[in-house]
Amino acid sequence: MIAIVGAGRLGTALAAALRAVGYDVLGPLGRGADPRDASAVVLCVPDGEIAHAAAAVTAGPLVGHCSGATALDVLAPHEAFSLHPLMTVPTGADPARFAGAGCAIDGTTPRALAVAEALATALRMRPTRVADEDRTAYHAAASIASNFLVTIEGAAERLAATAGVDRALLAPLVRAAVDDWAARGAEQALTGPIARGDDETVARQRAAIAARTPDLVPLFDALVAATRDLAGPRREPRAGAAMRTLRSVAEMREYVARVRATGRTIALVPTMGAFHAGHHALMRAARAAADEVVVWLFVNPAQFNEQRDLAAYPRDEAKDAAEAAALGVDVLFAPGVEEVYPPGFATTVHVEGLSDVLEGAVRGVSHFTGVCTVVTKMLNMVTPDLAFFGQKDAQQVAVLRRMVADLDIPVKLVVIPTVREPDGLALSSRNVHLSPENRRRALALSRALRAAETVVADGERDAAAITARARTAMDDVDAEYLALVDPDSFQPIDNVNGRVLVAVAARVGDTRLIDNTIITTAATPDGAPTTQEDI
Ligand code: AMP
């Protein structure tokens, strides 16, 4: 005989269903019952009362519960099982309702498990064993699949009502969507504007929701984001997909407004073009981190201290555009000089101190002022959530971090490790100017950095000694500077203790090259050093 304890909806339905398939059933009994004659007792009580109900049963029969989220230990010391029908049980449910439903089962002994399986099978459910450690995840999945679906339908119903459309008209659509999902899986079953990439429609939908049921906007935004992830293609490189090239600030603002209206995030990759694998790494990282990727392509005259360098700077927009499109970039923003610096332009952004040393000292303070001014402008034009920069330009990163913090610019800077040729040369747009002989000599920079790393690894902590060894490694190439500085303040350090940035610049032939590395030692002279690329 099977006893059912708990006379709620589930207990009542389960007792009726088991009787209907020929079981000798006692109950449903009230909570706290102690059915001594039963061979098994099934507790159909709220989760919080299971332990109490189990304690009321005198040792002897197998004891089971019907909770999705509760482990078996709550039934100890009984020989125990669990039986959780994956089915809603409304009041007065038809006993046949269980047929075809899934059913999570478990047992503390093979015999207890066999009883759970027999009960589920008798009701024509499909039993599957779910172990204790998987139960909460299983139960959460069931909640998403059923409870949250109802929540979503409730939202749809409210919005539809504002258009005079009744729930009954939505129901066939919901059934068809669920059937399709069950048959083909989520990715295949997805239809509608997001799956089609129709952002305009999604933006109009959001505006309508904001006007009629504004409290549903956060739910809509979250579902749009999750649906986009499911639809997928914009998160992957879309070889050959349409990438737009924009030239004006007005066009960029329109684009940003459309993107923001759909709650999408934007990553910005600032560049001066002539793309190489370093730029590609930035674009890939941006593609993986945000919904929309904007690449800024602008050879900024304000940051060049030599007209000759500016004139000779490599430019090939057609090639750059093809590479960006292949990496899944959404927008190439390539404004002309007049668009960025219209007549009458008179404002600059200057970061004190950090801008004056190393690169600032060699190229003049106007270099970083030019960088900061143009980066401020592009951040204002694009308003990205994230902006990607290379560790290759370590001082630029330090200056921009200071600027973004000081000016409260709402953007997160993301720094990508330096990408190198197999022989160690840091990739740079300027490398194309190197003759074969100078290409070989250019290895002096990365060699100097490796020498510094090695000598620190050997225990040297004196900055002057480290610098001397690194300079020696450069052979016939003269460093414009080779310095050990604090990676944040760029102030020189005398002794390595913690994180230090080794920065080097040199002219190789007519080409000016820079490189750097960060060395980290434990904050004691004897600590084992490590190198790291991230800053
Ligand atoms: P540029 O076009 O030279 O102004 O560089 C655009 C961005 O790419 C900057 O944030 C650079 O720091 C970054 N970048 C340049 N070269 C490399 C490289 N070899 N590895 C990683 N990032 C780089």
Side-chain angles (χ1 to χ4, degrees):
M1 184 173 60
I2 306 286
I4 306 286
V5 172
R9 286 183 302 199
L10 180 60
T12 308
L14 206 56
L18 288 171
R19 253 185 214 111
V21 295
Y23 270 87
D24 180 13
V25 178
L26 177 64
L29 306 170
R31 295 173 196 177
D34 181 14
R36 291 161 192 252
D37 302 335
S39 56
V41 179
V42 184
L43 305 175
C44 299
V45 298
D47 289 3
E49 295 178 24
I50 293 174
H52 188 251
V57 178
T58 303
L62 297 173
V63 177
H65 69 59
C66 294
S67 165
T70 308
L72 283 178
D73 54 4
V74 69
L75 299 175
H78 298 292
E79 187 177 352
F81 65 92
S82 63
L83 179 88
H84 178 245
L86 264 177
M87 179 50 69
T88 55
V89 184
T91 308
D94 177 353
R97 189 175 177 88
F98 294 109
C103 185
I105 58 168
D106 199 8
T108 55
T109 62
R111 185 171 74 127
L113 183 64
V115 166
E117 185 166 10
L119 290 172
T121 309
L123 296 178
R124 291 195 288 126
M125 291 194 283
R126 289 184 275 172
T128 185
R129 186 170 183 188
V130 177
D132 274 358
E133 64 268 26
D134 296 326
R135 285 195 85 82
T136 310
Y138 150 82
H139 196 240
S143 293
I144 293 172
S146 60
N147 313 148
F148 294 178
L149 181 64
V150 172
T151 307
I152 289 173
E153 298 311 341
E157 181 180 350
R158 269 180 56 209
L159 186 62
T162 70
V165 172
D166 190 68
R167 178 172 85 217
L169 297 179
L170 291 175
L173 173 69
V174 176
R175 287 193 194 99
V178 170
D179 284 348
D180 219 25
W181 162 74
R184 304 197 294 147
E187 274 175 41
Q188 298 297 318
L190 195 63
T191 59
I194 293 173
R196 287 196 300 274
D198 180 358
D199 292 346
E200 303 285 343
T201 300
V202 178
R204 287 208 308 278
Q205 291 178 339
R206 188 180 191 275
I209 293 172
R212 294 178 175 213
T213 49
D215 58 305
L216 294 181
V217 169
L219 176 66
F220 181 78
D221 287 346
L223 291 170
V224 165
T227 307
R228 282 210 170 102
D229 281 350
L230 183 61
R234 295 188 76 83
R235 295 209 151 240
E236 298 300 320
R238 300 160 304 150
M243 180 191 73
R244 275 167 292 169
T245 298
L246 304 183
R247 305 274 174 203
S248 71
V249 180
E251 284 173 312
M252 177 46 69
R253 290 213 193 285
E254 248 178 62
Y255 159 79
V256 169
R258 276 201 307 276
V259 171
R260 292 297 179 207
T262 56
R264 291 163 75 75
T265 54
I266 301 176
L268 174 67
V269 182
T271 79
M272 296 206 299
F275 294 159
H276 50 65
H279 298 107
H280 297 168
L282 265 56
M283 291 179 214
R284 278 201 195 90
R287 178 70 281 164
D291 298 318
E292 295 279 319
V293 177
V294 176
V295 169
W296 161 275
L297 195 171
F298 181 65
V299 182
N300 178 29
Q303 70 191 69
F304 283 81
N305 50 316
E306 292 177 14
Q307 282 311 307
R308 213 165 41 128
D309 187 22
L310 173 61
Y313 201 82
R315 295 164 209 241
D316 190 345
E317 187 184 312
K319 176 176 160 290
D320 288 347
E323 291 176 10
L327 288 164
V329 169
D330 296 289
V331 169
L332 186 68
F333 187 25
V337 175
E338 348 42 72
E339 184 72 12
V340 179
Y341 301 112
F345 186 87
T347 305
T348 56
V349 180
H350 178 71
V351 173
E352 295 284 343
L354 271 171
S355 300
D356 309 335
V357 297
L358 300 188
E359 283 299 280
V362 176
R363 302 184 70 169
V365 284
S366 64
H367 169 64
F368 282 120
T369 304
V371 170
C372 289
T373 305
V374 84
V375 171
T376 303
K377 284 173 69 70
M378 78 173 94
L379 293 174
N380 282 335
M381 293 172 195
V382 183
T383 63
D385 302 274
L386 305 166
F388 287 73
F389 295 90
Q391 147 83 355
K392 161 83 172 5
D393 296 277
Q395 191 174 359
Q396 170 172 281
V397 170
V399 170
L400 292 177
R401 276 203 200 287
R402 185 74 262 157
M403 179 188 87
V404 162
D406 288 354
L407 299 183
D408 304 305
I409 302 178
V411 65
K412 180 168 184 274
L413 303 190
V414 183
V415 181
I416 300 298
T418 302
V419 178
R420 299 175 180 281
E421 300 280 10
D423 62 7
L425 179 68
L427 294 182
S428 162
S429 303
R430 291 188 172 88
N431 290 354
V432 296
H433 295 317
L434 294 168
S435 66
E437 168 61 6
N438 283 335
R439 165 69 181 74
R440 190 190 56 72
R441 295 177 65 227
L443 290 174
L445 284 84
S446 53
R447 217 168 41 236
L449 300 177
R450 298 296 89 82
E453 287 167 3
T454 306
V455 65
V456 176
D458 289 346
E460 184 60 75
R461 294 291 180 270
D462 177 55
I466 298 163
T467 313
R469 286 283 292 276
R471 277 185 193 271
T472 308
M474 293 181 74
D475 293 340
D476 64 334
V477 173
D478 285 332
E480 271 182 345
Y481 61 76
L482 198 162
L484 270 63
V485 297
D486 177 275
D488 302 314
S489 70
F490 271 68
Q491 288 306 302
I493 58 127
D494 297 329
N495 270 290
V496 177
N497 186 16
R499 288 169 84 237
V500 63
L501 182 101
V502 188
V504 60
R507 275 185 191 279
V508 181
D510 279 343
T511 308
R512 188 168 182 279
L513 301 173
I514 61 172
D515 202 349
N516 68 83
T517 188
I518 288 186
I519 304 177
T520 305
T521 64
T524 66
D526 299 331
T530 55
T531 62
Q532 65 174 48
E533 290 277 12
D534 189 31
I535 62 172

